[in-house]
Amino acid sequence: MLDILNHYVQNLQGNKVSVNGYDGYKNGDDFYFIISKQNDEEVHFEQKAISDFCIQQGIENIAVPLFNYRGTLTTEVDQKEYLVLAAKDRKYVKQSSHAKDLASFHNIGSEYPYTPNYLSSYGQWKELWENKISMIEDIYNQQYVERPVSPFHRLFIDTFPYIIGLSENALQYLQETETDQRFHDGDKPSITFRRYSNQLQRSIIWSTDFSYDHPVRDLAEYIRPLLLQDNYQSLTRMSSFFTEYEQERPLSIFGWRLLYARLLFPIHLFDHLEAGFRSNNLEIFYKEYKELLQKQTNYETNLKSFYKNLEFDTESLNIPVIDW
């Protein structure tokens, strides 16, 4: 690891550390993490630019990609490419409202003065979702004729029509939503996360998690796990979160509909399947996928009553609701 770091920082003396699964070194108040290259260098460059902007705006706990001595972000060692992310040790973690922190983050992110070419998903959900459907259809067609198949792949084959049905509902709802003109400045694109999972509450934010999209992307991914639960506390937590978020950054009718469209699309099922297809440990993914499917009853029930739980009058606001 030090061999890689030497391409970025000279004569580093530090102790080995591991944070959130990232290995690196700590020298004084400075962290240096070595990670495998995850995307094209252009993607990591845009993530660095976003990270630098956020730090300038006071969000200081970001692990930012460094340039090596050749002026590139990636370094090849033993035919593998790596990046080094640098972060400061944040000794004090501010205790504040999570929802308001996320709203503040989106307010800052919406002022980002550039439009990323590689990171942006703004206005592209239809195309991205259709690509996911095509990918999973290709795998289904391949697995359907193969024998034998693992229990994981058999469960995928059995549930494939269900996933496609959910996806088509979401696409139809998204297309109808995109014709709604009831939007405002809060619908501008912002810095977001690829899959938001409370990153703002952690001691280090990883630049590799950054994306650029409509802010409801993060809201949807935050509450998606809550919809899988069968308890009143989760729904109360969801309602309180939206109330506090909107005190800082109100959603438009268009934004609420876009949020609902994203929740309709079973991204959590796609993510789990894609991870399983890449894994050699299918037994674990079979068990987890089976458990996830069992929670879908909760998800559908909570999504059906989503607006009602938030005390929305969908009829007077002319907001369509899926009724399974």
Side-chain angles (χ1 to χ4, degrees):
M1 292 175 63
L2 281 175
D3 289 343
I4 299 171
L5 279 172
N6 287 335
H7 291 270
Y8 297 83
V9 183
Q10 288 184 337
N11 303 320
L12 177 68
Q13 300 294 323
N15 300 315
K16 285 186 177 182
V17 294
S18 181
V19 179
N20 300 135
Y22 290 89
D23 295 324
Y25 286 85
K26 184 180 180 184
N27 181 22
D29 290 336
D30 297 317
F31 287 108
Y32 299 95
F33 299 97
I34 300 96
I35 68 170
S36 298
K37 178 183 176 183
Q38 300 177 3
N39 289 289
D40 293 338
E41 180 142 340
E42 292 86 355
V43 172
H44 291 301
F45 182 83
E46 289 186 345
Q47 289 171 332
K48 174 177 171 53
I50 282 176
S51 300
D52 291 339
F53 171 80
C54 288
I55 290 173
Q56 292 170 3
Q57 302 304 312
I59 306 171
E60 299 177 349
N61 58 317
I62 301 175
V64 185
L66 293 181
F67 286 112
N68 60 27
Y69 292 124
R70 294 184 293 105
T72 63
L73 294 176
T74 57
T75 297
E76 184 174 329
V77 176
D78 296 331
Q79 297 182 329
K80 294 182 179 179
E81 292 188 277
Y82 299 91
L83 291 92
V84 169
L85 307 182
K88 290 288 185 180
D89 185 6
R90 191 169 69 154
K91 301 182 183 301
Y92 170 73
V93 179
K94 181 181 66 171
Q95 299 295 324
S96 60
S97 163
H98 180 198
K100 290 184 178 180
D101 282 349
L102 184 57
S104 176
F105 176 80
H106 288 153
N107 285 334
I108 290 172
S110 65
E111 298 301 320
Y112 186 61
Y114 309 105
T115 300
N117 292 320
Y118 301 92
L119 279 180
S120 179
S121 299
Y122 188 78
Q124 300 176 27
W125 290 6
K126 180 177 181 292
E127 179 183 352
L128 292 170
W129 293 357
E130 287 175 340
N131 289 341
K132 280 185 175 292
I133 293 171
S134 295
M135 177 273 295
I136 207 171
E137 285 178 337
D138 289 343
I139 296 174
Y140 171 80
N141 291 331
Q142 177 185 349
Q143 294 293 328
Y144 188 80
V145 297
E146 286 190 2
R147 297 291 185 277
V149 294
S150 68
F152 172 77
H153 287 97
R154 170 53 58 191
L155 186 57
F156 158 62
I157 291 170
D158 291 342
T159 56
F160 172 78
Y162 171 70
I163 295 172
I164 294 301
L166 292 177
S167 302
E168 289 177 347
N169 274 342
L171 278 171
Q172 182 179 354
Y173 195 93
L174 176 65
Q175 288 177 293
E176 293 174 357
T177 296
E178 289 176 338
T179 66
D180 198 317
Q181 300 295 308
R182 293 173 291 176
F183 46 76
H184 54 47
D185 283 347
D187 293 300
K188 295 191 302 184
S190 175
I191 298 168
T192 59
F193 294 85
R194 196 184 71 85
R195 294 286 187 271
Y196 186 66
S197 55
N198 301 10
Q199 283 94 333
L200 291 181
Q201 293 188 308
R202 300 175 189 172
S203 59
I204 294 178
I205 299 172
W206 307 96
S207 62
T208 48
D209 285 346
F210 282 139
S211 183
Y212 189 78
D213 205 339
H214 195 291
V216 298
R217 178 192 186 106
D218 290 340
L219 297 178
E221 299 315 315
Y222 171 73
I223 67 169
R224 191 182 295 272
L226 300 180
L227 297 178
L228 289 164
Q229 304 304 314
D230 181 22
N231 61 71
Y232 179 75
Q233 289 78 9
S234 293
L235 298 180
T236 301
R237 180 178 164 193
M238 179 184 73
S239 179
S240 297
F241 187 87
F242 280 124
T243 298
E244 292 183 6
Y245 182 92
E246 285 207 290
Q247 288 174 357
E248 301 292 326
R249 189 180 175 89
L251 295 180
S252 67
I253 298 299
F254 170 81
W256 280 109
R257 291 189 61 179
L258 194 65
L259 170 70
Y260 193 72
R262 188 171 184 90
L263 291 172
L264 283 172
F265 192 78
I267 289 174
H268 53 298
L269 299 183
F270 277 92
D271 284 351
H272 194 83
L273 287 170
E274 289 173 21
F277 295 146
R278 295 191 300 265
S279 173
N280 294 322
N281 195 342
L282 293 181
E283 185 175 346
I284 290 179
F285 278 93
Y286 167 72
K287 180 181 178 181
E288 292 178 348
Y289 184 48
K290 193 172 182 179
E291 292 174 353
L292 194 56
L293 288 169
Q294 290 171 346
K295 294 180 180 179
Q296 276 297 108
T297 301
N298 300 333
Y299 193 86
E300 291 184 12
T301 299
N302 290 330
L303 197 54
K304 184 178 179 180
S305 60
F306 175 75
Y307 287 119
K308 182 179 179 181
N309 290 331
L310 296 175
E311 300 182 350
F312 265 74
D313 185 350
T314 53
E315 289 190 10
S316 65
L317 292 173
N318 192 26
I319 299 178
V321 180
I322 294 293
D323 185 11
W324 283 290

